[in-house]
Amino acid sequence: MENGAVSSERMNFMNDSIHGLLGFIEKSPTCFHAVEQVRQTLLSNGFTELQEAKPWDLQPGKNYFVTRNQSSLIALRLPAGKAEAFRIVASHSDSPTFKIKENPEKESAGCIQLNTERYGGMLCASWFDRPLSIAGRVVIRTDSGKIQSRLVCCPRDLVLIPNLAIHMNRAVNEGYAYNPQTDMLPLYGGAGAKGTFLKEIAQVAGVDADAILCSDLFLYNRMKGTVWGAQNEFLCAPRLDDLECAYTSLCAFLSEGDCPDVPVYALFDNEEVGSGTKQGADSSFLETVLRRVIFSASDASAAVCAQERFCTALATSFMVSADNAHAVHPNHPDKTDPTNPVYLNGGVVVKFNANQKYTTDAVSGAIFQEICRRAGAPCQTFVNRSDIAGGSTLGNISNSHVSLNTVDIGLPQLAMHSCYETAGVQDVDAMIRALTAFYHTKIETLADGSYRLS
Ligand code: ZN
């Protein structure tokens, strides 16, 4: 083997996990499809699906999950005994894209365009001149009079956003502010395509066009993920932020072995637009689920006791907020903090921010990095340059509802919010290893500020 640092056994594992990751991303063109992928994986692993709108009768030793809005999901594995504390990994299901507006067909220059608006903050330039298609969900009226949501994904190259020729915009390479209303509308068809868009979607959904009552439809990049580089050290795919964390945390969550606490897998929608929705990290979803787990194990007369148990459970729980991080860009190393460079294939990134946009503090950073050290999972640290305002993510928003020790981590990547992002092949393995250890390591809270790992 040419790369002596990597055993053939490890290489096989990496190939499996990379193959699994790229397959997961390909089948997840939207947040709805990502949640459905996770849902199907959990069902095939024997998990029971719960409904928020119905009473829960949770049994010790059983595994459950629940979705909200079909775009967020929380799964948990209950212990044989009482649930005492939670071990949570949270990531997000959404990515920046363009949402199809109501009445989307627009005529221009003998063609039909689709009217769209931006969802999240994308790198606009990456969306030009590549085959795109449309996916999401439609809500239909069924023959029996029900109103029902159905996922749709147009399985062919269907639209494209053509650039303007350089001859007509000579200054484009000196920096150009793309106007989402005039520069970014995708081309759907010639004049003959007029009036066909809804029919196209209806055909994919398997219904008549007049059965569609409303829709949440988005553009998605048709390009498949790939592994590349001189030694196959890089991978590219759409939506690595944050499906790379969604997938690797699912692998860790489903790993075999005893877990000292209740392992929780959380996948939230709407991180890219601030999380402030009924299903986002800034909602009641996580808090409600955790509360129901504790309370369902208590009879009604013991409600006060259950409240006490809920408080002690949170005080001894631990959360990982997993969202991708910026690696040093080889063309722009000056954009990175001078003493905390993050590299592709350098391992799991632990993120710090003095103003607590990232939740990591000395306690959560110490505990998580010690777990990684013991598991042989490489770690690196990220802090923004002091003169660059960074982004924020799930952890601190979720903490305003469910307050517990939390660390912000991610996988290093380049071109965040491009519609085709770049990451390191070896980091996938590092993340699965780190999060598997996180779920399986016992973290004892001895007192505030005092902990023991075993
Ligand atoms: Zn993200």
Side-chain angles (χ1 to χ4, degrees):
M1 164 159 271
E2 285 178 14
N3 186 347
V6 181
S7 71
S8 57
E9 189 183 325
R10 169 61 76 218
M11 205 66 189
N12 287 338
F13 173 73
M14 280 203 300
N15 287 340
D16 280 352
S17 52
I18 298 299
H19 189 254
L21 169 68
L22 297 184
F24 176 77
I25 290 174
E26 193 181 335
K27 289 178 190 154
S28 304
T30 71
C31 56
F32 304 111
H33 295 81
V35 164
E36 180 60 17
Q37 284 298 306
V38 175
R39 182 177 169 272
Q40 292 297 340
T41 303
L42 295 173
L43 287 173
S44 66
N45 278 273
F47 281 63
T48 301
E49 183 167 14
L50 301 166
Q51 298 291 330
E52 281 201 282
K54 295 195 173 146
W56 292 0
D57 178 23
L58 304 180
Q59 303 297 321
K62 293 269 173 63
N63 302 327
Y64 299 93
F65 73 93
V66 59
T67 63
R68 186 181 278 192
N69 190 50
Q70 303 175 281
S71 61
S72 292
L73 179 149
I74 297 175
L76 41 96
R77 297 168 50 190
L78 291 185
K82 266 193 172 171
E84 305 284 3
F86 300 101
R87 203 67 65 78
I88 306 160
V89 180
S91 56
H92 66 89
S93 59
D94 61 323
S95 303
T97 178
F98 293 85
K99 185 165 194 273
I100 311 292
K101 287 184 181 176
E102 304 300 299
N103 307 306
E105 290 187 17
K106 177 177 174 294
E107 291 184 72
S108 179
C111 295
I112 303 299
Q113 300 172 295
L114 298 180
N115 196 5
T116 59
E117 60 182 324
R118 286 186 290 192
Y119 174 87
M122 74 285 291
L123 283 168
C124 288
S126 67
W127 285 85
F128 285 96
D129 303 330
R130 59 169 74 233
L132 305 170
S133 195
I134 291 162
R137 68 175 174 183
V138 291
V139 174
I140 60 167
R141 187 195 310 109
T142 68
D143 292 340
S144 60
K146 280 195 287 192
I147 291 177
Q148 198 163 56
S149 172
R150 192 170 288 186
L151 300 198
V152 291
C153 178
C154 299
R156 66 184 179 103
D157 299 341
L158 185 61
V159 296
L160 185 143
I161 308 172
N163 249 306
L164 182 63
I166 193 162
H167 315 79
M168 297 170 184
N169 186 5
R170 291 280 182 195
V172 66
N173 290 332
E174 278 114 65
Y176 181 75
Y178 293 102
N179 181 323
Q181 189 61 66
T182 56
D183 291 319
M184 304 298 302
L185 299 189
L187 180 59
Y188 167 61
K194 187 177 178 182
T196 65
F197 178 70
L198 195 60
K199 290 179 192 154
E200 174 85 29
I201 298 299
Q203 188 185 18
V204 174
V207 296
D208 291 335
D210 60 7
I212 296 179
L213 301 174
C214 209
S215 61
D216 293 312
L217 297 172
F218 300 90
L219 299 186
Y220 77 92
N221 179 7
R222 293 275 296 157
M223 199 162 174
K224 290 185 194 314
T226 186
V227 173
W228 57 282
Q231 296 181 307
N232 290 320
E233 57 270 70
F234 304 126
L235 66 90
C236 269
R239 304 177 294 282
L240 284 174
D241 171 18
D242 191 29
L243 296 186
E244 196 177 16
C245 289
Y247 177 78
T248 49
S249 57
L250 183 63
C251 293
F253 176 70
L254 294 174
S255 62
E256 290 180 3
D258 288 342
C259 297
D261 295 330
V262 182
V264 179
Y265 173 89
L267 184 59
F268 291 113
D269 190 9
N270 301 126
E271 192 277 339
E272 299 294 356
V273 293
S275 298
T277 60
K278 67 182 184 298
Q279 63 274 357
D282 198 6
S283 75
S284 58
F285 191 27
L286 181 61
E287 199 262 347
T288 304
V289 170
L290 300 187
R291 188 179 288 280
R292 289 177 84 163
V293 169
I294 296 291
F295 276 67
S296 79
S298 312
D299 60 60
S301 62
V304 175
C305 174
Q307 181 61 28
E308 178 72 2
R309 284 184 52 232
F310 184 64
C311 293
T312 56
L314 290 196
T316 52
S317 293
F318 201 106
M319 177 157 129
V320 166
S321 160
D323 195 2
N324 271 4
H326 303 295
V328 181
H329 196 299
N331 289 348
H332 303 279
D334 54 309
K335 296 288 185 189
T336 296
D337 184 70
T339 62
N340 292 282
V342 160
Y343 298 112
L344 296 182
N345 293 315
V348 177
V349 181
V350 182
K351 307 178 193 174
F352 292 83
N353 175 256
N355 298 304
Q356 291 289 289
K357 294 282 187 200
Y358 303 131
T359 52
T360 314
D361 56 25
V363 168
S364 63
I367 290 172
F368 185 78
Q369 288 176 100
E370 177 61 9
I371 288 172
C372 290
R373 189 189 65 76
R374 293 184 185 188
C379 274
Q380 44 190 341
T381 54
F382 175 88
V383 191
N384 280 299
R385 273 183 66 101
S386 304
D387 52 3
I388 293 179
S392 72
T393 174
L394 301 160
N396 65 332
I397 291 172
S398 178
N399 256 247
S400 66
H401 296 269
V402 181
S403 310
L404 40 79
N405 272 327
T406 304
V407 62
D408 265 284
I409 68 163
L411 285 171
Q413 71 160 96
L414 298 174
M416 189 177 285
H417 292 192
S418 166
C419 75
Y420 206 60
E421 299 171 318
T422 293
V425 163
Q426 291 177 37
D427 296 326
V428 174
D429 177 20
M431 184 64 114
I432 294 173
R433 183 179 277 245
L435 293 180
T436 299
F438 169 73
Y439 277 126
H440 295 278
T441 301
K442 187 170 184 185
I443 307 173
E444 272 181 276
T445 303
L446 306 173
D448 192 19
S450 178
Y451 306 86
R452 180 165 46 218
L453 305 184
S454 55

